[in-house]
Amino acid sequence: MTKVLKIFSDATLEAMEEEMQRDPSVFVYGEDIIKQGGIWGQFKGLHNKFGDRVRDTPISETALVGAGVGAALAGGRPVVDLHYADFIGITMDEILNQMAKAHYMFGGQGKVPLVLRAPDGVFPHAAAQHSQSLETWFVSIPGIKVVIPSTPENGKGLLKAAIRSNNPVIFFENKKLFSVKGLVRDSEVITPLDKAEIVHKGEALTIVSYGYFLGEVLKAVEIAEKKHSSRIEVIDLRSINPIDEETIIKSVKKTGKLIIAHEAIKIGGVGSEVAAIVAEKAFDYIKKPIIRVGAKFSPLPFSPQLEESVTTSSKDVLAAIEKLLV
Amino acid sequence: MTKVLKIFSDATLEAMEEEMQRDPSVFVYGEDIIKQGGIWGQFKGLHNKFGDRVRDTPISETALVGAGVGAALAGGRPVVDLHYADFIGITMDEILNQMAKAHYMFGGQGKVPLVLRAPDGVFPHAAAQHSQSLETWFVSIPGIKVVIPSTPENGKGLLKAAIRSNNPVIFFENKKLFSVKGLVRDSEVITPLDKAEIVHKGEALTIVSYGYFLGEVLKAVEIAEKKHSSRIEVIDLRSINPIDEETIIKSVKKTGKLIIAHEAIKIGGVGSEVAAIVAEKAFDYIKKPIIRVGAKFSPLPFSPQLEESVTTSSKDVLAAIEKLLV
Amino acid sequence: MTLNKDKLIDIYYNMLRIRRFEETVKKKHGKQIIGPAHLYIGEEAVATGVCSNLLREDLVTSTHRGHGHTLAKGANLRKAFAELYGKETGYCKGRGGSMHLAAFDVGMLGANGVVGGGFNIATGAALTQQILNKKNVVVCFFGDGASNRGTFHEAVNLAALWNLPVIYVCENNGWASTTNSLDSTAVVNIADRARGYGIKGITVDGNDVFAVYNAAQKLIKAARNGDGPAILEAKTYRIEGHFLGDPQKYRTASEVEEWKLNNDPIERFLKAIRATGEVSEPEIENVKRRIEDELEDAVQFAERSIVPTPEDALEDVYAKEAAR
Amino acid sequence: MTLNKDKLIDIYYNMLRIRRFEETVKKKHGKQIIGPAHLYIGEEAVATGVCSNLLREDLVTSTHRGHGHTLAKGANLRKAFAELYGKETGYCKGRGGSMHLAAFDVGMLGANGVVGGGFNIATGAALTQQILNKKNVVVCFFGDGASNRGTFHEAVNLAALWNLPVIYVCENNGWASTTNSLDSTAVVNIADRARGYGIKGITVDGNDVFAVYNAAQKLIKAARNGDGPAILEAKTYRIEGHFLGDPQKYRTASEVEEWKLNNDPIERFLKAIRATGEVSEPEIENVKRRIEDELEDAVQFAERSIVPTPEDALEDVYAKEAAR
Ligand SMILES: Cc1ncc(C[n+]2csc(CCOP(=O)(O)OP(=O)(O)O)c2C)c(N)n1
Ligand SMILES: Cc1ncc(C[n+]2csc(CCOP(=O)(O)OP(=O)(O)O)c2C)c(N)n1
Ligand SMILES: [Mg+2]
Ligand SMILES: [Mg+2]
């Protein structure tokens, strides 16, 4: 198996190309995706290859998602680009009341194979409305799947699996991830939509994370492992709906200690759900308080000094590790 | 202090009347609130008393909330009725990116004293789009306050406090609560926006709940207390943003056992955040797994038999108590 | 009116079938049928006039008031009734009920509890037709109240821009729940909003099934030929309350009576065909009988069908993943 | 044009002040000024022509391209610059930056990073004027791209219905980011959408400050007198990229040059007033000098201001609760 170094943006572009080639009912639309190939080049050249199956749209986010539902119910396989996930609130009713429920409400008559690409996370110095991680809202919505890639390879693999899924999938891709490089298998890459991955094996402590922030976690882990000469287990959730409880529980039963770390705000974040699962299902194995790492409870300020103080990073992960490894 | 028996709907109507009388900048609008006085009579007669300060609106939920933000920034104190909280998704961007952030983004230049009344919860046999409890989305949004009354008295008191607040407040009132009777103090009632209340004292176990579902919890507690002849502490959160950690932690330090129970779906619910707080901050005091009680992970089906199997009730609370009291 | 006899009988059949269905729902409501139900009585000419121009493969999206659209599109009465009864044999296996009735077998993509929720769905369904080079047309039914949702604006603009085969049919019945259309909508004829999107907008008497039929025919034909979307507004009236149980404090009994007595779409139709003698009385009677038989059969089917198994409640939350 | 000399000087001052502000931002960007910045160069006649008709108590809502609106409404240059520098002395204490610039002291209720986020805010601000019996008018600036958001539809319908004192000013600069207006908007003149709400809609040459001024004057006066809302569309052009750093692959350099050379609103204004001789050259020079002085002072102020204290980052997440 050969692997090739690629940036995330290109890896997901390959996923789009391969799936559009494979299935003529796959098409994609979004704001400003033709002329510059998307904000991060993730749609570069796609219009040339597939013509009218790649479309620029008006600034009409409810229409984009709502029409995606209709397109899917009618037999299409739309991929909808949300431009910035910061505006996903505009489409929440379409997601909650149509996309997630159509299959169930209609007793399985129709299905909604729709992929929503939603670039999220901090966009440095873009302030409060362009730097959000809102994935936690989607943990509690039955009927949708929600994945969050962390590398070019699983970005490609999850996107391909999402496009092939018969269910609506939200694909949160961190804005800072698009330019990140990683090795991608040269052959077909399909990453299962509902499985977490142990990306680093260890016994001393479990850290659950996902997405771009996984990089921050691994940085902290490297430092801590050297210092404490103990091994830390790191789990990449990859999917937050559903959450792969089995993998998490198995790990904490072994390590007895748990940190959950994400770029999103700590309060009410995905970390809360993971902590609650473990406090309920593996309580007897846990030896220390469960620590959550996340951003402070504030809109993101513009000023770089404030921005840094509100966001979280490997430093906070390291501090949490220190607390549990003493 | 005399108390008078009232239904929730009338108690909140008094709150509206008293605050509109007191402050001419308070006004209210929503769909269908004039002619029938609101779906549950909660606005009955208000238009006759206050004329143009009580308005029916088009079916334009984004405008209702967005205009509320503008009205508040310009010096008004709007109360916006959402008709059904099931459609709050339509207004999520207005809530997240405008209502919650305006004060912060503009460095404190303007404030947003807006109250959003949002009737939520199961509407029996109304199926998937009219029976939702979505409050968990709002736990993670900085800049808003979120309260959930459980009785006519704190309904009145929280609504009055919300109207007087300088911050945006979402007021989730369960649809089944409007006709519930309770004693309401005859004098001024103001309930603090950020304090939980211990509604039942005990030592054997702590149950955290809120809203209409508190009634189900108290039913279960009554049965369990008799059976086990031990006392259970019940906390009514009242506010889920912020969550009154102090009251919860103090209680679980005493009891060592915790159940969180709500009508909303269990996965990703408010219970997760409470569990996570306790697993982080009172871990050493907890003696048993933390149990969450909530609805199953499904849209609400229409058929009564299915409906009952998906929703939760005092029976599930009782089962959880049994697990912890053995 | 240049409709042949078969078509006339068909139209009569469809209108009366809806009417009798709704009357039956009303009779059973609170007993075998529970939950919110929004009846279509008085508006039958709209769904019928429009859907009589559609092929089975054509698609429609509906509203919270969806029984009429479902039947007009040709849905099976047994499965429709069974759904309102919450039975496993219903169209949605009892998961949907009145507000989420859908009949994918005849291209009816679902009622919708979210007012204005259908605009985008219809638009997307039309987009799939275009992308996959199909000739089907999509009809989006919506109310006067729904016309003020932002989804209307975004959907119609997109459809106009992309020249999608979708007709937005406004059932302007004068009321949105307790609110008069003129108190919620800053324009008298909702079809006039078409100009803001450079498309055709036509307003017709929605209780004249011929007027609806003819206007719909023109617009549907055009859409099928690639001429893009249009708005068709049918002025009509909701005879029943907003929902079954509505105290109706917002309107006078005489307003309702006036429409009922002098503007019933079925009576008007009968009067028109009787005037020309195109359909004979026995033929009319025959339609009535057919419908009563169909109804009785459907009700019985619904009543003896089994209720869903509680253990299966979580089935269909997710669609099965095929190996693709 | 029947404007007196003071007004003419005022207009010139405002247009040039915006232009020079933006040029300074461009110069400092990537160094002292960081983060996304959307410049208003080429569109100065719109904000100026409109805001010259407003009183200090009148309100405006803005867009992501908000510097021009902020300055035209009379904002303090020091506080504006300091904000872009992320300083504690800025309008928003460094919390907002370019995309959330606001100047409540002069009635500017905020730039907005959400395209179309201002429609409802402006409408609500106008509602408060009506409820509290104030005579102030609200202006809502929005782009051609924003006109396709559902918020446009809901806000304008509501304002029309309630006769609110709000003017929606469309800055149709031909582009929404990389997308041409005609590829996103199914109508050529966005002001034509006014008909769908029974209100006035006027389209003017947005690079002719007199045309903008006169149309705005009429509509603002009417709104102030209780005649309700209107849409004013100003056709203009964005000379700079969508944001500073935009590779601009979507348009030709010659398209930009054409507008720059032959349709610069400031040059057109100067030509017009020079033709009539109403304002003398020394008076023109005087305005330029005043602006340069003001600018230099503001930049220096911004540069020597302190940055916010990280420990205070969570301040203002919530407003203080007064005992009421
Ligand atoms: C988004 C949304 N807002 C509000 C409601 C509550 N509601 C249900 S039906 C209705 C009135 C709809 O009026 P119209 O569109 O004219 O349809 P009609 O009932 O007259 O057929 C309202 C306000 C809803 N279901 N969805
Ligand atoms: C709701 C929303 N969708 C998309 C974006 C991304 N975006 C920012 S500016 C812009 C173009 C806006 O065009 P227009 O309204 O014409 O204003 P202009 O930039 O031309 O002044 C887009 C798509 C956004 N900020 N908000
Ligand atoms: Mg209606
Ligand atoms: Mg533009």
Side-chain angles (χ1 to χ4, degrees), chain B residues 22-23 55 62-63 67 71 98 103-104 107 109 144 164-167, chain D residues 91 93 102 104 112 120 124 128 130 154 313 316 318-321 324:
Chain B
R22 184 174 179 270
D23 183 345
R55 298 191 185 195
T62 65
Q98 315 295 346
H103 184 71
Y104 187 82
Q109 286 183 86
I144 55 172
R164 294 187 193 186
S165 171
N166 284 330
N167 290 289
Chain D
Y91 260 116
K93 303 196 286 189
F104 278 58
N112 211 315
N120 290 322
T128 290
Q130 188 180 73
E154 296 197 0
D316 292 329
Y318 289 93
K320 280 182 196 57
E321 298 292 7
R324 300 184 79 246

mmCIF file of all heavy atoms in Angstrom, chain B residues 22-23 55 62-63 67 71 98 103-104 107 109 144 164-167, chain D residues 91 93 102 104 112 120 124 128 130 154 313 316 318-321 324:
data_model
loop_
_atom_site.group_PDB
_atom_site.id
_atom_site.type_symbol
_atom_site.label_atom_id
_atom_site.label_comp_id
_atom_site.label_asym_id
_atom_site.label_seq_id
_atom_site.Cartn_x
_atom_site.Cartn_y
_atom_site.Cartn_z
ATOM 1 N N ARG B 22 -45.503 48.389 34.369
ATOM 2 C CA ARG B 22 -44.386 49.005 35.065
ATOM 3 C C ARG B 22 -43.449 49.739 34.118
ATOM 4 O O ARG B 22 -42.870 50.764 34.464
ATOM 5 C CB ARG B 22 -43.609 47.864 35.736
ATOM 6 C CG ARG B 22 -42.466 48.257 36.602
ATOM 7 C CD ARG B 22 -41.932 46.985 37.274
ATOM 8 N NE ARG B 22 -40.803 47.303 38.123
ATOM 9 C CZ ARG B 22 -39.546 47.310 37.695
ATOM 10 N NH1 ARG B 22 -39.266 47.004 36.455
ATOM 11 N NH2 ARG B 22 -38.572 47.634 38.538
ATOM 12 N N ASP B 23 -43.292 49.211 32.915
ATOM 13 C CA ASP B 23 -42.268 49.727 32.003
ATOM 14 C C ASP B 23 -42.845 49.861 30.595
ATOM 15 O O ASP B 23 -43.108 48.862 29.923
ATOM 16 C CB ASP B 23 -41.081 48.755 32.015
ATOM 17 C CG ASP B 23 -39.922 49.242 31.157
ATOM 18 O OD1 ASP B 23 -40.113 50.167 30.327
ATOM 19 O OD2 ASP B 23 -38.818 48.687 31.309
ATOM 20 N N ARG B 55 -48.877 42.514 19.586
ATOM 21 C CA ARG B 55 -49.103 42.382 18.142
ATOM 22 C C ARG B 55 -49.069 40.950 17.638
ATOM 23 O O ARG B 55 -48.245 40.153 18.057
ATOM 24 C CB ARG B 55 -48.010 43.164 17.379
ATOM 25 C CG ARG B 55 -48.039 44.639 17.666
ATOM 26 C CD ARG B 55 -47.143 45.371 16.691
ATOM 27 N NE ARG B 55 -47.071 46.787 17.043
ATOM 28 C CZ ARG B 55 -46.605 47.734 16.246
ATOM 29 N NH1 ARG B 55 -46.154 47.416 15.047
ATOM 30 N NH2 ARG B 55 -46.590 48.997 16.641
ATOM 31 N N THR B 62 -37.704 34.143 11.758
ATOM 32 C CA THR B 62 -36.405 34.838 11.821
ATOM 33 C C THR B 62 -36.616 36.318 12.051
ATOM 34 O O THR B 62 -35.863 36.960 12.772
ATOM 35 C CB THR B 62 -35.526 34.660 10.553
ATOM 36 O OG1 THR B 62 -36.147 35.271 9.441
ATOM 37 C CG2 THR B 62 -35.258 33.208 10.256
ATOM 38 N N ALA B 63 -37.657 36.862 11.436
ATOM 39 C CA ALA B 63 -37.940 38.281 11.643
ATOM 40 C C ALA B 63 -38.323 38.537 13.094
ATOM 41 O O ALA B 63 -37.932 39.551 13.674
ATOM 42 C CB ALA B 63 -39.048 38.756 10.705
ATOM 43 N N ALA B 67 -35.768 40.903 14.688
ATOM 44 C CA ALA B 67 -36.319 42.226 14.992
ATOM 45 C C ALA B 67 -36.301 42.463 16.497
ATOM 46 O O ALA B 67 -36.111 43.597 16.949
ATOM 47 C CB ALA B 67 -37.743 42.350 14.444
ATOM 48 N N ALA B 71 -34.855 45.704 18.077
ATOM 49 C CA ALA B 71 -35.722 46.483 18.959
ATOM 50 C C ALA B 71 -35.042 46.702 20.301
ATOM 51 O O ALA B 71 -35.093 47.802 20.872
ATOM 52 C CB ALA B 71 -37.060 45.761 19.147
ATOM 53 N N GLN B 98 -26.527 36.945 16.569
ATOM 54 C CA GLN B 98 -26.916 38.330 16.842
ATOM 55 C C GLN B 98 -27.272 38.505 18.323
ATOM 56 O O GLN B 98 -26.585 39.190 19.061
ATOM 57 C CB GLN B 98 -28.108 38.759 15.960
ATOM 58 C CG GLN B 98 -28.009 38.372 14.484
ATOM 59 C CD GLN B 98 -26.868 39.044 13.720
ATOM 60 O OE1 GLN B 98 -26.281 40.006 14.197
ATOM 61 N NE2 GLN B 98 -26.544 38.537 12.542
ATOM 62 N N HIS B 103 -23.898 42.261 22.400
ATOM 63 C CA HIS B 103 -23.314 43.005 23.520
ATOM 64 C C HIS B 103 -21.800 42.844 23.552
ATOM 65 O O HIS B 103 -21.057 43.816 23.737
ATOM 66 C CB HIS B 103 -23.935 42.523 24.840
ATOM 67 C CG HIS B 103 -23.465 43.290 26.025
ATOM 68 N ND1 HIS B 103 -23.836 44.596 26.258
ATOM 69 C CD2 HIS B 103 -22.644 42.944 27.048
ATOM 70 C CE1 HIS B 103 -23.252 45.017 27.367
ATOM 71 N NE2 HIS B 103 -22.530 44.033 27.874
ATOM 72 N N TYR B 104 -21.352 41.642 23.347
ATOM 73 C CA TYR B 104 -19.907 41.369 23.431
ATOM 74 C C TYR B 104 -19.144 41.939 22.240
ATOM 75 O O TYR B 104 -18.156 42.652 22.406
ATOM 76 C CB TYR B 104 -19.677 39.866 23.516
ATOM 77 C CG TYR B 104 -18.222 39.514 23.774
ATOM 78 C CD1 TYR B 104 -17.717 39.552 25.058
ATOM 79 C CD2 TYR B 104 -17.368 39.175 22.737
ATOM 80 C CE1 TYR B 104 -16.382 39.254 25.323
ATOM 81 C CE2 TYR B 104 -16.029 38.874 22.976
ATOM 82 C CZ TYR B 104 -15.544 38.911 24.268
ATOM 83 O OH TYR B 104 -14.233 38.632 24.509
ATOM 84 N N GLY B 107 -18.384 45.462 22.181
ATOM 85 C CA GLY B 107 -17.645 45.950 23.339
ATOM 86 C C GLY B 107 -18.541 46.569 24.395
ATOM 87 O O GLY B 107 -18.134 47.513 25.082
ATOM 88 N N GLN B 109 -21.299 48.224 23.876
ATOM 89 C CA GLN B 109 -21.999 49.461 23.462
ATOM 90 C C GLN B 109 -23.525 49.352 23.539
ATOM 91 O O GLN B 109 -24.198 50.307 23.889
ATOM 92 C CB GLN B 109 -21.620 49.834 22.022
ATOM 93 C CG GLN B 109 -20.244 50.406 21.871
ATOM 94 C CD GLN B 109 -19.977 50.808 20.413
ATOM 95 O OE1 GLN B 109 -20.308 51.908 19.999
ATOM 96 N NE2 GLN B 109 -19.381 49.924 19.661
ATOM 97 N N ILE B 144 -26.298 34.353 26.368
ATOM 98 C CA ILE B 144 -27.732 34.263 26.633
ATOM 99 C C ILE B 144 -27.957 33.609 27.991
ATOM 100 O O ILE B 144 -27.104 32.890 28.494
ATOM 101 C CB ILE B 144 -28.496 33.435 25.566
ATOM 102 C CG1 ILE B 144 -27.884 32.025 25.418
ATOM 103 C CG2 ILE B 144 -28.490 34.142 24.231
ATOM 104 C CD1 ILE B 144 -28.701 31.092 24.539
ATOM 105 N N ARG B 164 -36.979 41.962 33.147
ATOM 106 C CA ARG B 164 -36.165 43.038 33.727
ATOM 107 C C ARG B 164 -34.678 42.884 33.453
ATOM 108 O O ARG B 164 -33.900 43.795 33.708
ATOM 109 C CB ARG B 164 -36.378 43.075 35.243
ATOM 110 C CG ARG B 164 -37.784 43.475 35.606
ATOM 111 C CD ARG B 164 -37.933 43.678 37.087
ATOM 112 N NE ARG B 164 -39.343 43.751 37.440
ATOM 113 C CZ ARG B 164 -39.785 44.030 38.649
ATOM 114 N NH1 ARG B 164 -38.929 44.267 39.626
ATOM 115 N NH2 ARG B 164 -41.076 44.096 38.875
ATOM 116 N N SER B 165 -34.292 41.734 32.954
ATOM 117 C CA SER B 165 -32.862 41.492 32.739
ATOM 118 C C SER B 165 -32.324 42.354 31.603
ATOM 119 O O SER B 165 -33.037 42.694 30.664
ATOM 120 C CB SER B 165 -32.639 40.025 32.407
ATOM 121 O OG SER B 165 -31.307 39.811 31.994
ATOM 122 N N ASN B 166 -31.070 42.687 31.692
ATOM 123 C CA ASN B 166 -30.412 43.417 30.606
ATOM 124 C C ASN B 166 -29.813 42.484 29.562
ATOM 125 O O ASN B 166 -29.141 42.926 28.643
ATOM 126 C CB ASN B 166 -29.313 44.312 31.174
ATOM 127 C CG ASN B 166 -29.907 45.541 31.843
ATOM 128 O OD1 ASN B 166 -30.972 46.008 31.450
ATOM 129 N ND2 ASN B 166 -29.232 46.046 32.861
ATOM 130 N N ASN B 167 -30.058 41.206 29.746
ATOM 131 C CA ASN B 167 -29.521 40.214 28.820
ATOM 132 C C ASN B 167 -30.653 39.474 28.117
ATOM 133 O O ASN B 167 -31.763 39.413 28.630
ATOM 134 C CB ASN B 167 -28.653 39.216 29.593
ATOM 135 C CG ASN B 167 -27.365 39.845 30.072
ATOM 136 O OD1 ASN B 167 -26.483 40.130 29.274
ATOM 137 N ND2 ASN B 167 -27.265 40.099 31.378
ATOM 138 N N TYR D 91 -13.865 51.384 19.260
ATOM 139 C CA TYR D 91 -15.312 51.447 19.480
ATOM 140 C C TYR D 91 -15.815 50.238 20.250
ATOM 141 O O TYR D 91 -16.675 50.343 21.109
ATOM 142 C CB TYR D 91 -16.046 51.558 18.141
ATOM 143 C CG TYR D 91 -16.466 52.961 17.812
ATOM 144 C CD1 TYR D 91 -15.939 53.638 16.709
ATOM 145 C CD2 TYR D 91 -17.400 53.640 18.603
ATOM 146 C CE1 TYR D 91 -16.333 54.925 16.399
ATOM 147 C CE2 TYR D 91 -17.800 54.939 18.299
ATOM 148 C CZ TYR D 91 -17.264 55.579 17.207
ATOM 149 O OH TYR D 91 -17.658 56.850 16.915
ATOM 150 N N LYS D 93 -13.816 48.128 21.970
ATOM 151 C CA LYS D 93 -12.752 47.704 22.890
ATOM 152 C C LYS D 93 -11.939 46.539 22.324
ATOM 153 O O LYS D 93 -11.502 45.660 23.072
ATOM 154 C CB LYS D 93 -13.360 47.333 24.262
ATOM 155 C CG LYS D 93 -14.157 48.489 24.876
ATOM 156 C CD LYS D 93 -14.429 48.292 26.353
ATOM 157 C CE LYS D 93 -15.480 47.269 26.630
ATOM 158 N NZ LYS D 93 -15.919 47.195 28.030
ATOM 159 N N ALA D 102 -18.967 49.051 15.258
ATOM 160 C CA ALA D 102 -20.251 49.660 15.603
ATOM 161 C C ALA D 102 -19.951 50.982 16.276
ATOM 162 O O ALA D 102 -18.891 51.140 16.884
ATOM 163 C CB ALA D 102 -21.045 48.757 16.542
ATOM 164 N N PHE D 104 -22.346 53.151 18.430
ATOM 165 C CA PHE D 104 -23.657 53.460 18.984
ATOM 166 C C PHE D 104 -23.798 54.945 19.312
ATOM 167 O O PHE D 104 -24.907 55.463 19.345
ATOM 168 C CB PHE D 104 -23.922 52.591 20.225
ATOM 169 C CG PHE D 104 -24.415 51.198 19.893
ATOM 170 C CD1 PHE D 104 -23.676 50.343 19.095
ATOM 171 C CD2 PHE D 104 -25.638 50.743 20.373
ATOM 172 C CE1 PHE D 104 -24.129 49.057 18.779
ATOM 173 C CE2 PHE D 104 -26.110 49.461 20.063
ATOM 174 C CZ PHE D 104 -25.351 48.627 19.268
ATOM 175 N N ASN D 112 -21.935 43.575 10.353
ATOM 176 C CA ASN D 112 -22.468 42.250 10.610
ATOM 177 C C ASN D 112 -21.761 41.221 9.743
ATOM 178 O O ASN D 112 -21.747 41.337 8.528
ATOM 179 C CB ASN D 112 -23.976 42.236 10.319
ATOM 180 C CG ASN D 112 -24.704 41.253 11.196
ATOM 181 O OD1 ASN D 112 -24.259 40.134 11.364
ATOM 182 N ND2 ASN D 112 -25.792 41.696 11.781
ATOM 183 N N ASN D 120 -33.390 42.229 9.773
ATOM 184 C CA ASN D 120 -34.310 42.137 10.893
ATOM 185 C C ASN D 120 -33.935 43.085 12.021
ATOM 186 O O ASN D 120 -34.806 43.616 12.710
ATOM 187 C CB ASN D 120 -34.348 40.692 11.418
ATOM 188 C CG ASN D 120 -35.036 39.762 10.444
ATOM 189 O OD1 ASN D 120 -36.018 40.136 9.809
ATOM 190 N ND2 ASN D 120 -34.512 38.563 10.304
ATOM 191 N N GLY D 124 -36.443 45.789 13.562
ATOM 192 C CA GLY D 124 -36.750 45.858 14.988
ATOM 193 C C GLY D 124 -36.423 47.216 15.583
ATOM 194 O O GLY D 124 -37.177 47.739 16.419
ATOM 195 N N THR D 128 -39.092 49.740 17.526
ATOM 196 C CA THR D 128 -38.954 50.462 18.799
ATOM 197 C C THR D 128 -39.276 51.940 18.630
ATOM 198 O O THR D 128 -39.917 52.547 19.494
ATOM 199 C CB THR D 128 -37.525 50.267 19.366
ATOM 200 O OG1 THR D 128 -37.395 48.915 19.797
ATOM 201 C CG2 THR D 128 -37.279 51.176 20.562
ATOM 202 N N GLN D 130 -41.404 53.185 16.636
ATOM 203 C CA GLN D 130 -42.855 53.291 16.533
ATOM 204 C C GLN D 130 -43.531 53.060 17.891
ATOM 205 O O GLN D 130 -44.414 53.815 18.291
ATOM 206 C CB GLN D 130 -43.361 52.253 15.522
ATOM 207 C CG GLN D 130 -44.821 52.392 15.185
ATOM 208 C CD GLN D 130 -45.258 51.332 14.180
ATOM 209 O OE1 GLN D 130 -45.389 50.154 14.512
ATOM 210 N NE2 GLN D 130 -45.460 51.741 12.944
ATOM 211 N N GLU D 154 -38.665 38.398 5.002
ATOM 212 C CA GLU D 154 -39.417 38.475 6.255
ATOM 213 C C GLU D 154 -39.387 39.887 6.841
ATOM 214 O O GLU D 154 -40.395 40.390 7.338
ATOM 215 C CB GLU D 154 -38.852 37.469 7.266
ATOM 216 C CG GLU D 154 -39.024 36.029 6.802
ATOM 217 C CD GLU D 154 -38.852 35.004 7.919
ATOM 218 O OE1 GLU D 154 -38.593 35.390 9.080
ATOM 219 O OE2 GLU D 154 -38.992 33.805 7.630
ATOM 220 N N ALA D 313 -10.970 39.260 28.993
ATOM 221 C CA ALA D 313 -11.607 38.752 27.769
ATOM 222 C C ALA D 313 -13.075 38.402 27.978
ATOM 223 O O ALA D 313 -13.890 38.581 27.083
ATOM 224 C CB ALA D 313 -10.851 37.529 27.245
ATOM 225 N N ASP D 316 -18.130 41.593 29.422
ATOM 226 C CA ASP D 316 -19.117 41.928 28.386
ATOM 227 C C ASP D 316 -19.742 40.714 27.692
ATOM 228 O O ASP D 316 -20.504 40.879 26.738
ATOM 229 C CB ASP D 316 -18.542 42.857 27.305
ATOM 230 C CG ASP D 316 -18.233 44.233 27.849
ATOM 231 O OD1 ASP D 316 -18.940 44.671 28.776
ATOM 232 O OD2 ASP D 316 -17.282 44.876 27.358
ATOM 233 N N TYR D 318 -21.787 39.028 29.260
ATOM 234 C CA TYR D 318 -23.121 39.401 29.743
ATOM 235 C C TYR D 318 -23.132 40.857 30.160
ATOM 236 O O TYR D 318 -22.135 41.372 30.670
ATOM 237 C CB TYR D 318 -23.520 38.511 30.937
ATOM 238 C CG TYR D 318 -23.807 37.094 30.509
ATOM 239 C CD1 TYR D 318 -22.801 36.121 30.546
ATOM 240 C CD2 TYR D 318 -25.055 36.734 30.022
ATOM 241 C CE1 TYR D 318 -23.054 34.827 30.112
ATOM 242 C CE2 TYR D 318 -25.307 35.438 29.590
ATOM 243 C CZ TYR D 318 -24.310 34.499 29.637
ATOM 244 O OH TYR D 318 -24.558 33.232 29.198
ATOM 245 N N ALA D 319 -24.244 41.500 29.935
ATOM 246 C CA ALA D 319 -24.419 42.872 30.411
ATOM 247 C C ALA D 319 -24.675 42.835 31.909
ATOM 248 O O ALA D 319 -25.230 41.877 32.435
ATOM 249 C CB ALA D 319 -25.606 43.516 29.702
ATOM 250 N N LYS D 320 -24.240 43.877 32.557
ATOM 251 C CA LYS D 320 -24.500 43.948 33.993
ATOM 252 C C LYS D 320 -25.994 44.058 34.238
ATOM 253 O O LYS D 320 -26.703 44.765 33.535
ATOM 254 C CB LYS D 320 -23.780 45.149 34.589
ATOM 255 C CG LYS D 320 -22.315 44.842 34.819
ATOM 256 C CD LYS D 320 -21.564 45.991 35.451
ATOM 257 C CE LYS D 320 -20.062 45.727 35.275
ATOM 258 N NZ LYS D 320 -19.674 45.559 33.826
ATOM 259 N N GLU D 321 -26.449 43.366 35.268
ATOM 260 C CA GLU D 321 -27.859 43.464 35.630
ATOM 261 C C GLU D 321 -28.036 44.631 36.581
ATOM 262 O O GLU D 321 -27.444 44.665 37.654
ATOM 263 C CB GLU D 321 -28.339 42.171 36.304
ATOM 264 C CG GLU D 321 -28.254 40.931 35.430
ATOM 265 C CD GLU D 321 -29.233 40.943 34.252
ATOM 266 O OE1 GLU D 321 -29.893 41.961 34.019
ATOM 267 O OE2 GLU D 321 -29.316 39.909 33.550
ATOM 268 N N ARG D 324 -33.536 46.850 38.917
ATOM 269 C CA ARG D 324 -34.573 47.631 38.230
ATOM 270 C C ARG D 324 -35.874 47.570 39.007
ATOM 271 O O ARG D 324 -36.396 46.548 39.281
ATOM 272 C CB ARG D 324 -34.798 47.096 36.817
ATOM 273 C CG ARG D 324 -33.557 47.164 35.965
ATOM 274 C CD ARG D 324 -33.847 46.714 34.541
ATOM 275 N NE ARG D 324 -34.504 47.766 33.772
ATOM 276 C CZ ARG D 324 -35.742 47.709 33.300
ATOM 277 N NH1 ARG D 324 -36.489 46.677 33.553
ATOM 278 N NH2 ARG D 324 -36.239 48.705 32.612
#
